[in-house]
Amino acid sequence: MSIGIPVERMDGRAKVTGTAPYAYEHQVADPLYLHLIQSTIARGQVTAIDVAAAEALPGVAAVLTHHTAPRLAPDAPAEFRALQSGEIVHHGQVIAGVVAESPHIARHAAGLVRVTYDARPHDVRLRADHPDLYTPDMVAIGAPADSATGDTHAALASAPFRIDQTYTTSAMFHSPIEPHATTAIWADDLTVYEASQGVHDFTALLAQALGFPADRIRVIAPHVGGAFGSKGLARPHAVLAALASRMTGGRAVKVALTRRQMFALTNHRPATVQRVQLGADADGRLTALVHDAILSTARYEEYVEWVATSSRNMYATPNRRTTHRAVRLDVQMPAPMRAPGEAQGHFATESAMDELATAIGMDPIELRIRNEPSADADTGLPWSSRNLVECLRLGAQRFGWAGRGRRREGDWLIGTGVAAATLPTWFKLISVAYGPSHAAVEHVGNGRYLVSTGASDAGTGARTALSQIAADALSVPLSDVDLELGDNALPRAMLAAGSMGTMVWGSAIVAAAGEFRRLHGTDPRPGARAEGAMTGNPHTERVTIDSFHAVFAEAAVHAETGEIRVPRLLGVFDIGRVVNPRTARSQLIGGMTMGLSMALHESAAVDQHVGAVVNNDFAGYHIATHADVADIDAVWLDKPDPYANEMGIRPAGENGVIGVAAAVANAVNHATGVRIRDLPITPDKLVVSRFAR
Ligand code: MOS
């Protein structure tokens, strides 16, 4: 058996020795370099654009503007519609690009382009009383915006214990270590080396935008340096690299976004304002749960994230209401960012649960256990496997939850907090959005097998885990398997999304291996080949297949300065079977670090006057680094889910993020008595609260 063994990352050596090529690094003959120019207003029109000085600079091959760029298909995806008109819909939008013999010349020439605008008033501020709030038809995952059962008004009015609070979260930026980059060559056919979470889905978007046949587009992405959702959709730089290649006679064109450019051009996690109302009886049973979410979307394209949907089945209650309201602002379209919706939603609800536990005088773990539902209240279906209570109990034991007195050590106030969470499995993405995933198995001779699928390893370790799945499915040692991915010439596979990659592509590999053995037996001839597909999960008609976890945090807050440290963080995960404990652990503690970052650091400083995020670099936009992470641990129950797939595995990675922000907020509250409902929890908020008390 290979599954369950902590195999080292197969591409680890290539990555640390610098031989694993990323999108910008593929060796191509005689490349040109594209530098993008961004708008300095948030709304309006480009009225004039003077490119004469740029064009006159030696080494400049072309300047792309909305006057010169080739036309895209009218139904091009919104984020691909670059340089199709002079209209400005958000600050930092691409308004031109310079193609030159070196990146330095391109960047210098970009500075010589003079742009005149007709600016119009913009609005980039999300607020709960915004006059233009509206109810979307659906939230972006395809669920209804609103849902209600029972009478929440009456239940809240008569509840002996009530919480009614508003929580806010900032816009956040994915910030993968590899900036978005493309190398495009569009001579006759089009070849694109792209930092992409899904080569086939990217191909389809590109074909649609360019009005060019998908079977004449080759997309290659063997290595991707982190994505977190930001490399899943269409981005303008990629289509512009293709257009630039075409405009320069089919020469290769490379483009890499700068870190600053990424803040305006690669989407963001939407900011939220969430009101949570809980009613409970004296035994801690929820009599009502109301979760109303308000969030931002773009004026030019709708994306309304599913912030409150997990409140539809996380806890048992007879009276429940969840709503989503959105407002169209003059910002770039928000988009999924690791644990989209769940991350913001759980911060609100799991903070509120902690507030309720305090109000009742009940242990917050016990409160959650008392409200454990027997079935999925949203669908009425039973769970395939829900072991949240075990996560809470095991975590309490390992963390040393019992007798959690707050204490003071010198100037530091120390407390602990807990949060529970769920991550749905979005099988719907397969049936509705992205379609089946395929894999192929070929015997290449000498007992060796080549397994291929158009999957993408965005840094998760998918390449390694899929090899392990393939070895077991073929009943051969891991060393007899070679795996190819990240190329649209390979069998069609869905993009890495919803933490479902290993699960979905793994099922396709299992199907291909089964088909291979059926056709060719155990002693195949060289060249013998078979394909298989993962087309969906028939069990979703009868069971709900979600993941669960509990997070425990210790917070230390400096009594004078409000400085916050998190000395300990423990996650206990109910994610089915784990294919590779090493890469899974890495995913989970990485996710938890991201959650810690959301709790304490990440915040968009929006200049309302300019209409832009002004802390658009890593000096101003803080993300957690090594010094912030002390004792962080992730463990799992290792209970295979018999309904999820043949391997018994459920989505893993994004679980790491979800519960952390609330666990930290709850620990800070336990330590200090101060409740921060506005992320991130920064020292200024704690100090101000102290004086305000
Ligand atoms: Mo993800 S945020 O489902 O790419």
Side-chain angles (χ1 to χ4, degrees):
M1 286 285 284
S2 288
I3 290 180
I5 294 173
V7 179
E8 280 180 23
R9 218 172 264 263
M10 290 171 162
D11 45 17
R13 189 179 178 81
K15 284 184 172 177
V16 298
T17 54
T19 57
Y22 289 83
Y24 194 75
E25 301 168 341
H26 288 272
Q27 298 292 310
V28 291
D30 199 21
L32 290 164
Y33 298 85
L34 170 64
H35 188 84
L36 302 178
I37 302 174
Q38 299 172 275
S39 80
T40 57
I41 64 166
R43 191 178 184 202
Q45 202 75 27
V46 174
T47 50
I49 183 156
D50 179 359
V51 300
E55 279 181 340
L57 196 74
V60 169
V63 179
L64 285 75
T65 68
H66 65 280
H67 299 298
T68 61
R71 294 304 91 182
L72 296 167
D75 64 342
E79 293 297 348
F80 264 5
R81 270 180 242 138
L83 304 185
Q84 298 301 293
S85 79
E87 191 188 357
I88 307 293
V89 294
H90 68 84
H91 194 284
Q93 174 189 325
V94 178
I95 49 166
V98 178
V99 189
E101 297 292 339
S102 82
H104 317 287
I105 296 170
R107 198 162 177 166
H108 176 57
L112 302 177
V113 173
R114 291 285 162 262
V115 184
T116 312
Y117 301 99
D118 175 17
R120 297 187 47 207
H122 59 254
D123 178 5
V124 297
R125 186 161 147 242
L126 175 69
R127 43 186 238 260
D129 60 350
H130 200 289
D132 298 336
L133 285 177
Y134 72 98
T135 307
D137 290 338
M138 300 277 254
V139 290
I141 200 68
D146 293 3
S147 123
T149 50
D151 185 343
T152 51
H153 273 287
L156 285 168
S158 63
F161 295 97
R162 257 194 313 272
I163 297 296
D164 180 357
Q165 294 292 354
T166 297
Y167 305 84
T168 58
T169 63
S170 171
M172 291 172 60
F173 299 87
H174 307 73
S175 308
I177 194 166
E178 178 204 19
H180 291 61
T182 306
T183 300
I185 308 151
W186 195 358
D188 185 9
D189 291 350
L190 170 60
T191 301
V192 181
Y193 300 92
E194 176 71 11
S196 174
Q197 283 170 248
V199 287
H200 287 102
D201 293 293
F202 177 76
T203 303
L205 291 170
L206 205 51
Q208 184 191 345
L210 299 174
F212 191 70
D215 60 7
R216 293 179 61 193
I217 303 174
R218 179 85 181 272
V219 176
I220 299 168
H223 299 284
V224 179
F228 313 124
S230 72
K231 293 170 180 170
L233 299 171
R235 298 294 180 304
H237 65 275
V239 77
L240 290 175
L243 295 183
S245 177
R246 175 133 278 197
M247 283 174 72
T248 54
R251 280 181 71 180
V253 171
K254 293 188 174 212
V255 61
L257 299 191
T258 66
R259 187 60 67 180
R260 278 176 173 267
Q261 288 178 330
M262 286 169 62
F263 281 78
L265 293 175
T266 64
N267 310 99
H268 58 273
R269 190 197 286 288
T272 69
V273 179
Q274 302 173 65
R275 182 177 175 195
V276 179
Q277 299 174 78
L278 302 176
D281 64 22
D283 292 332
R285 291 207 168 69
L286 288 172
T287 54
L289 187 161
V290 177
H291 188 176
D292 296 314
I294 293 171
L295 58 169
S296 53
T297 185
R299 202 183 293 278
Y300 66 95
E301 180 83 353
E302 181 181 80
Y303 170 85
V304 181
E305 202 156 277
W306 50 98
V307 173
T309 47
S310 281
S311 291
R312 293 172 187 173
N313 67 7
M314 180 64 177
Y315 295 114
T317 182
N319 304 293
R320 187 191 312 265
R321 190 184 80 220
T322 54
T323 68
H324 295 81
R325 299 290 175 270
V327 58
R328 295 180 182 280
L329 299 175
D330 301 301
V331 297
Q332 201 198 15
M333 187 181 100
M337 172 168 156
R338 211 172 193 197
E342 313 300 336
Q344 308 102 304
H346 280 77
F347 165 66
T349 52
E350 290 299 303
S351 293
M353 285 295 277
D354 199 64
E355 299 201 55
L356 179 62
T358 304
I360 302 173
M362 180 175 277
D363 182 275
I365 293 178
E366 183 57 30
L367 176 66
R368 287 169 174 88
I369 291 173
R370 290 211 182 170
N371 291 289
E372 180 68 6
S374 56
D376 174 352
D378 195 25
T379 60
L381 300 175
W383 269 280
S384 59
S385 169
R386 172 169 167 137
N387 304 292
L388 176 59
V389 172
E390 199 174 328
C391 291
L392 287 161
R393 293 212 163 110
L394 178 66
Q397 205 183 346
R398 292 181 73 116
F399 190 76
W401 180 259
R404 57 183 288 250
R406 71 185 64 167
R407 61 184 202 274
R408 185 171 177 138
E409 286 177 12
D411 285 339
W412 293 89
L413 306 170
I414 296 164
T416 56
V418 67
T422 179
L423 176 72
T425 309
W426 304 112
F427 283 110
K428 214 177 190 173
L429 285 179
I430 300 157
S431 54
V432 178
Y434 298 114
S437 286
H438 304 260
V441 171
E442 187 182 340
H443 181 236
V444 291
N446 298 324
R448 295 196 64 78
Y449 294 85
L450 179 63
V451 178
S452 55
T453 176
S456 170
D457 185 337
T460 58
R463 179 181 268 111
T464 310
L466 293 177
S467 300
Q468 292 173 260
I469 290 169
D472 284 5
L474 289 163
S475 301
V476 299
L478 183 59
S479 54
D480 286 350
V481 173
D482 290 310
L483 188 101
E484 279 188 317
L485 47 65
D487 187 333
N488 72 352
L490 302 176
R492 195 195 184 290
M494 72 174 264
L495 82 172
S499 297
M500 296 197 300
T502 300
M503 180 187 94
V504 168
W505 308 321
S507 284
I509 288 171
V510 169
E515 181 67 2
F516 183 92
R517 289 293 183 225
R518 198 182 66 76
L519 292 174
H520 307 295
T522 50
D523 187 20
R525 62 181 165 75
R529 190 175 188 279
E531 290 210 12
M534 192 283 182
T535 56
N537 184 333
H539 300 302
T540 54
E541 302 290 323
R542 291 187 293 118
V543 288
T544 294
I545 304 168
D546 290 352
S547 292
F548 304 92
H549 65 268
V551 181
F552 295 77
E554 182 177 283
V557 180
H558 194 278
E560 299 306 325
T561 65
E563 180 183 349
I564 307 141
R565 304 233 155 229
V566 178
R568 289 196 297 143
L569 208 47
L570 169 69
V572 182
F573 298 91
D574 177 23
I575 51 177
R577 193 173 181 198
V578 164
V579 176
N580 183 324
R582 187 188 299 255
T583 55
R585 183 182 140 78
S586 162
Q587 279 296 291
L588 292 169
I589 64 173
M592 290 169 72
T593 305
M594 210 167 201
L596 178 67
S597 200
M598 173 180 182
L600 300 183
H601 301 303
E602 295 189 42
S603 174
V606 181
D607 183 323
Q608 309 294 341
H609 181 71
V610 179
V613 174
V614 290
N615 58 337
N616 57 343
D617 58 30
F618 285 169
Y621 182 81
H622 289 185
I623 58 176
T625 58
H626 281 79
D628 299 297
V629 178
D631 175 356
I632 183 169
D633 199 11
V635 297
W636 46 85
L637 303 181
D638 223 353
K639 295 195 174 190
D641 187 326
Y643 297 98
N645 43 61
E646 307 75 4
M647 300 84 71
I649 65 178
R650 286 205 300 250
E654 285 167 299
N655 282 284
V657 183
I658 302 170
V660 175
V664 170
N666 297 343
V668 166
N669 173 258
H670 186 236
T672 62
V674 178
R675 174 63 62 178
I676 303 298
R677 302 186 183 88
D678 173 33
L679 288 185
I681 306 165
T682 45
D684 55 314
K685 292 175 188 169
L686 278 167
V687 170
V688 168
S689 304
R690 243 184 89 206
F691 289 117
R693 267 187 306 164

